[in-house]
Amino acid sequence: MATFPTLGAGRSTGHTASRAETREQLGKATYDLLVIGGGILGTATAWTAAQSGLKVAMVDAGDFAGATSSASSKLVHGGLRYLQTGAVKLVAENHKERRVLSSDVAPHLVNPLTFFVPVYKGGPHGATKLGAGVFLYSALSAFRDGMGRVSTAAHAAQQVPALRTEGLRSVAVYGDHQMNDSRVAVMTVRAAVEAGAVVLNHAEVTGLRFTGTRVTGAELKDRLDGTEFGVNARLVLNATGPWVDHLRKMEDAGSAPSIRLSKGAHVVVKRRTPWRAALTIPIDKYRVSFAIPWEDHVLLGTTDEEYTGDPQDVRATEADIDQILGEAGHAIKDEHLDRDLITYSFAGLRVLPGGPGDTSAAKRETVVTEGRGGMLSVAGGKWTTYRHIGRTVLEKLAHVSGTGLAEDMSAIPNTVPLPGVGAPNAVAHRLLIDREPGSRMEPLVAKHLASHYGTLSFEIARLIADNPELGEPIHPDGPDVWAQVAFAADNEWAYTTDDVLRRRTTMTVRGLDTPEIQAQVAAFLAKRGAK
């Protein structure tokens, strides 16, 4: 087991304000916009609004992207299955956003990936139909990821040795992208702060502030030390995801439910052989399941079923795991789906517009509503189009009567890169060659840092140069190093072991967050002076 490092030198420059300083800053000013909820919608809106010149505050009861937004399928994609419903325009729009993210906004975090759709004898789709579908799909992306086509079973088995070949006739091939959603979320929060936003996680809204009948702020409680404080704002945005109706009832006790929830569960397994492509596995004529190489493992899923319980309690059940493994077994050999290979399972909640019918058929759209007290509530959306959603919500904010926000907004740039933007291969190369005499960095660590932090990796490298013990792995079986824990505490609002192990590093995904590691990280954060 890795030795728990001493602290000594090596505190990164430009670290975030302490919680006490942030609470004071939040409490002494009136903000143009208070965003409640630091998931995909809240961070996108906070970032966009701050770029427009508004004075923005954002709070979250848990960690940023601590719920649904870090429980996605990790895809940045056009949505191949949407073509089946005739949503050609939607797919084209998704592709446009995907291209911008992968080329201009976050090339250090969003990575191209080839997908195979296996065509089995007696399966729900034939090769001709799928071939036409992936060709149209790639055409809608202007062939930026190559031309969708049909390939041979032999080629697919070579690229994915785990692929079941009995009855396999061919595969349809197309290109998409993937990401680590937690890392993209943290980088977006950082971008919002660099644009002027003030943010605080682990800060729970206990009530709303009113001026007359209008919502003009919120009462909050710091979940880490119990401190109570408040924030005043000209406009409040409720972006709390599965909890959106809970906050709406604080505004208006008589408000009717506006959403319903669908649970999506995933399983992460160790890979026995290299995977050079992902699988989109047709389950029936309408549903697919994914098997995606991710963080040196394979991500399997997802499910789609209505959820009526407490959002706080959502998890992947044994039934979910059985379903996911069973559906993966349509196309993956049994020995690659052994339960002993599971390192992690998780579930998130899709927020869907209220209404009847099967949740799997419900529209994945973003809905913005204005409540009786003037609070805006936003729900629904997906990672691929999160920048577009932020801009859409900002347009809605500009038109809310009585706030005057539109007069204070300036035009925002079409494309603003996330912090750390840079080519991962070039960053990794520099990490390996720009070393102090006698010191070295493992190539796998350099690659890992470059693909999760981009050029911010150089700040982590400086921490290691100041204190070489921080270059030690947190666990010998993974690429995460102690300098990442220090960086997370100093620069990325990480206060708990879960913040660090599940969302700032890949320790939990890899099944390496043992009780001993958790205790070591907790001790490290305490000694570091986690704020």
Side-chain angles (χ1 to χ4, degrees):
M1 190 63 64
T3 304
F4 175 58
T6 56
L7 295 175
R11 186 171 289 277
S12 46
T13 58
H15 57 271
T16 55
S18 71
R19 295 187 68 81
E21 290 168 339
T22 302
R23 289 195 304 262
E24 182 182 1
Q25 194 174 0
L26 288 170
K28 70 183 182 183
T30 296
Y31 289 83
D32 295 323
L33 176 66
L34 169 61
V35 179
I36 302 174
I40 183 175
L41 299 180
T43 54
T45 303
W47 181 29
T48 309
Q51 288 178 59
S52 79
L54 295 183
K55 188 178 181 66
V56 178
M58 181 175 73
V59 296
D60 193 288
D63 188 20
F64 300 127
T68 298
S69 297
S70 58
S72 75
S73 296
K74 324 301 179 188
L75 294 178
V76 179
H77 63 139
L80 177 64
R81 70 184 184 89
Y82 299 151
L83 289 181
Q84 199 165 353
T85 62
V88 174
K89 183 180 178 182
L90 173 64
V91 173
E93 290 172 349
N94 289 350
H95 273 313
K96 180 181 177 182
E97 276 299 300
R98 180 175 66 89
R99 288 197 301 272
V100 174
L101 284 174
S102 61
S103 60
D104 301 320
V105 175
H108 52 316
L109 303 171
V110 177
N111 308 300
L113 184 63
T114 299
F115 282 74
F116 293 154
V117 187
V119 180
Y120 289 98
K121 182 180 180 181
H125 304 294
T128 301
K129 177 183 176 181
L130 281 174
V134 296
F135 178 83
L136 174 59
Y137 189 71
S138 58
L140 291 171
S141 72
F143 300 107
R144 296 289 182 89
D145 298 289
M147 183 180 296
R149 66 194 189 281
V150 174
S151 188
T152 65
H155 170 71
Q158 182 185 39
Q159 298 295 302
V160 184
L163 183 63
R164 190 182 292 278
T165 54
E166 306 88 36
L168 182 63
R169 291 185 163 178
S170 59
V171 293
V173 185
Y174 66 97
D176 257 328
H177 285 73
Q178 68 174 167
M179 62 169 178
N180 181 312
D181 48 14
S182 299
R183 293 299 318 159
V184 175
V186 169
M187 291 292 197
T188 306
V189 174
R190 182 167 176 147
V193 170
E194 290 180 358
V198 179
V199 304
L200 190 66
N201 51 357
H202 302 292
E204 179 183 5
V205 170
T206 57
L208 296 176
R209 289 183 168 181
F210 290 83
T211 300
T213 59
R214 189 169 188 83
V215 176
T216 54
E219 305 291 347
L220 294 112
K221 181 178 181 178
D222 190 322
R223 280 184 163 181
L224 300 187
D225 67 7
T227 301
E228 295 182 350
F229 64 106
V231 182
N232 292 318
R234 294 161 67 186
L235 183 65
V236 175
L237 178 70
N238 170 15
T240 53
W243 293 273
V244 68
D245 282 340
H246 172 73
L247 206 64
R248 289 177 63 248
K249 284 191 175 295
M250 285 189 182
E251 177 189 29
D252 174 11
S255 64
S258 66
I259 62 166
R260 54 185 176 147
L261 303 174
S262 166
K263 183 174 79 167
H266 295 80
V267 172
V268 181
V269 296
K270 294 178 182 177
R271 59 185 188 188
R272 292 186 183 274
T273 57
W275 283 56
R276 298 184 182 87
L279 300 178
T280 300
I281 306 167
I283 303 304
D284 54 38
K285 285 188 176 182
Y286 303 101
R287 283 197 65 239
V288 301
S289 189
F290 293 108
I292 304 166
W294 185 67
E295 301 294 1
D296 306 317
H297 288 61
V298 178
L299 177 70
L300 305 173
T302 180
T303 61
D304 192 337
E305 61 179 15
E306 187 169 8
Y307 183 83
T308 57
D310 186 335
Q312 198 67 43
D313 298 332
V314 68
R315 61 185 179 85
T317 64
E318 286 300 310
D320 294 329
I321 294 171
D322 286 341
Q323 178 185 339
I324 291 167
L325 294 177
E327 291 179 347
H330 283 60
I332 299 173
K333 297 174 183 175
D334 291 343
E335 61 266 29
H336 298 274
L337 299 174
D338 194 303
R339 276 182 170 262
D340 291 341
L341 297 175
I342 296 175
T343 60
Y344 183 46
S345 61
F346 61 93
L349 295 172
R350 306 174 188 89
V351 180
L352 306 173
D358 191 343
T359 56
S360 62
K363 288 184 177 181
R364 268 53 172 173
E365 61 184 15
T366 304
V367 179
V368 183
T369 57
E370 184 175 351
R372 178 177 292 180
M375 181 175 72
L376 287 192
S377 294
V378 57
K382 57 187 294 184
W383 265 116
T384 302
T385 55
Y386 89 112
R387 284 189 336 125
H388 175 70
I389 292 169
R391 290 163 186 258
T392 300
V393 175
L394 188 66
E395 281 286 314
K396 298 280 188 182
L397 299 179
H399 291 96
V400 176
S401 62
T403 64
L405 289 183
E407 301 164 12
D408 298 325
M409 290 182 188
S410 57
I412 61 173
N414 284 330
T415 304
V416 177
L418 289 181
V421 66
N425 288 341
V427 171
H429 180 68
R430 272 193 58 191
L431 288 171
L432 291 173
I433 63 172
D434 292 355
R435 307 294 298 154
E436 296 293 324
S439 68
R440 67 184 298 270
M441 181 179 287
E442 290 291 334
L444 283 177
V445 173
K447 179 182 177 184
H448 175 72
L449 294 178
S451 59
H452 290 75
Y453 300 85
T455 58
L456 298 182
S457 301
F458 303 135
E459 293 186 28
I460 297 175
R462 281 192 289 273
L463 288 174
I464 297 170
D466 289 344
N467 182 356
E469 286 186 331
L470 292 176
E472 293 296 316
I474 303 172
H475 189 289
D477 294 339
D480 293 293
V481 295
W482 281 102
Q484 292 173 252
V485 184
F487 188 78
D490 291 352
N491 298 278
E492 295 186 336
W493 307 277
Y495 301 103
T496 71
T497 55
D498 203 45
D499 294 350
V500 170
L501 296 173
R502 189 167 85 84
R503 289 177 292 276
R504 306 304 188 279
T505 67
T506 63
M507 297 293 292
T508 297
V509 168
R510 299 172 189 273
L512 303 178
D513 58 344
T514 63
E516 182 179 0
I517 291 294
Q518 291 181 31
Q520 288 183 348
V521 169
F524 186 98
L525 290 173
K527 286 187 178 181
R528 193 83 184 173
K531 302 172 281 295

